[in-house]
């Protein structure tokens, strides 16, 4: 039987420091479990205090699952802890839930906090606590810092799998042939981002040119097509 380890966190939000730690941990055991610890009350409070929109645990679970999908020895599991704050987190109950979810002896517990050592020694006496980049020298960032200073301040530390959740969308509206498309392209260049062309023009050209009068049954097709273009531009 191979060695089993786990690394846990709220991943609020997921950042490149997490990516480094997960990758490093995966190389140090035969089977790694990434444990998403989530609490609706605590997590919402943390986001609200930072002026950040709440990040549902399902979204974070998807980030992690997408991140490790090509890592054959890594599994992602979610454990709800129900804590109202970090200070009221029940470590003993959390450990029991984690052990139950993993369902096999744990050989390694990975984290980036040396201060967790006494807790992990008590709750996982048969496992070795391995601290990964505790000094944050490999990736100088933390989720707390991102929440406090803003996602876009540390955009380079947000993994590609998580960036679409935070992307701001700006809509340019106006009458026909007033320069919206040109303005949109230029704004995208200035702000180093992507843009989505007006899908209504595409429909017009498909059904007979820009002079075509579109009836209301076309509107759902235009809305759907534009939404699809928007999705494809940010993933």
């Amino acid at each position: 039987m191979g060695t089993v380890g786990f690394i846990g966190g709220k991943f609020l939000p997921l950042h490149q420091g997490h990516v480094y730690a997960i990758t490093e941990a995966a190389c140090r055991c035969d089977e790694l479990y990434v444990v998403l610890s989530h609490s609706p009350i605590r997590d919402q409070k943390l986001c609200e205090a930072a002026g950040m929109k709440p990040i549902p645990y399902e979204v974070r679970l998807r980030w992690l699952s997408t991140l490790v999908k090509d890592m054959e020895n890594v599994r992602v599991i979610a454990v709800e802890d129900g804590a109202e704050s970090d200070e009221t987190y029940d470590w003993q109950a959390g450990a029991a839930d984690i052990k139950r979810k993993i369902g096999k002896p744990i050989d390694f517990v990975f984290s980036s906090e040396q201060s967790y050592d006494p807790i992990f020694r008590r709750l996982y006496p048969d496992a070795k606590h391995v601290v990964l980049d505790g000094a944050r020298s490999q990736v100088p960032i933390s989720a707390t810092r991102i929440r406090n200073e803003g996602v876009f301040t540390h955009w380079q530390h947000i993994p590609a799998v998580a960036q679409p959740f935070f992307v701001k969308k700006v809509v340019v509206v106006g009458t026909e042939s007033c320069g919206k498309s040109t303005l949109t392209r230029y704004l995208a260049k200035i702000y180093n981002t992507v843009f989505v062309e007006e899908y209504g023009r595409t429909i017009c050209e498909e059904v007979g040119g820009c002079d075509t009068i579109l009836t209301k049954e076309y509107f759902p097709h235009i809305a759907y097509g534009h939404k699809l273009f928007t999705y494809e531009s940010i993933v």
Side-chain angles (χ1 to χ4, degrees), residues 42 46 83-91:
R42 179 199 59 219
L46 287 172
E84 294 189 4
S85 67
D86 286 335
E87 291 72 23
T88 61
Y89 176 69
D90 189 332
W91 286 91

Side-chain angles (χ1 to χ4, degrees), residues 10-114:
K10 297 185 291 293
F11 305 101
L12 196 66
L14 178 68
H15 57 70
Q16 285 299 131
H18 293 136
V19 175
Y20 172 83
I22 291 170
T23 304
E24 183 73 16
C27 295
R28 298 195 183 200
C29 58
D30 297 306
E31 190 174 1
L32 177 70
Y33 288 84
V34 179
V35 180
L36 169 60
S37 179
H38 64 97
S39 166
I41 298 175
R42 179 199 59 219
D43 297 352
Q44 183 166 337
K45 283 182 178 179
L46 287 172
C47 289
E48 289 178 349
M52 176 189 295
K53 68 177 179 178
I55 309 174
Y57 90 89
E58 295 92 344
V59 171
R60 286 173 277 158
L61 193 64
R62 185 176 71 242
W63 291 345
L64 292 167
S65 298
T66 303
L67 177 70
V68 306
K69 66 180 181 180
D70 59 348
M71 302 171 73
E72 295 181 356
N73 67 323
V74 181
R75 305 289 181 270
V76 178
I77 59 176
V79 176
E80 183 173 354
D81 58 70
E84 294 189 4
S85 67
D86 286 335
E87 291 72 23
T88 61
Y89 176 69
D90 189 332
W91 286 91
Q92 186 166 342
D97 288 337
I98 290 171
K99 291 175 183 177
R100 184 164 51 251
K101 280 266 186 154
I102 293 177
K104 58 188 69 175
I106 298 170
D107 302 291
F108 297 101
V109 179
F110 300 97
S111 82
S112 296
E113 302 290 342
Q114 186 66 50

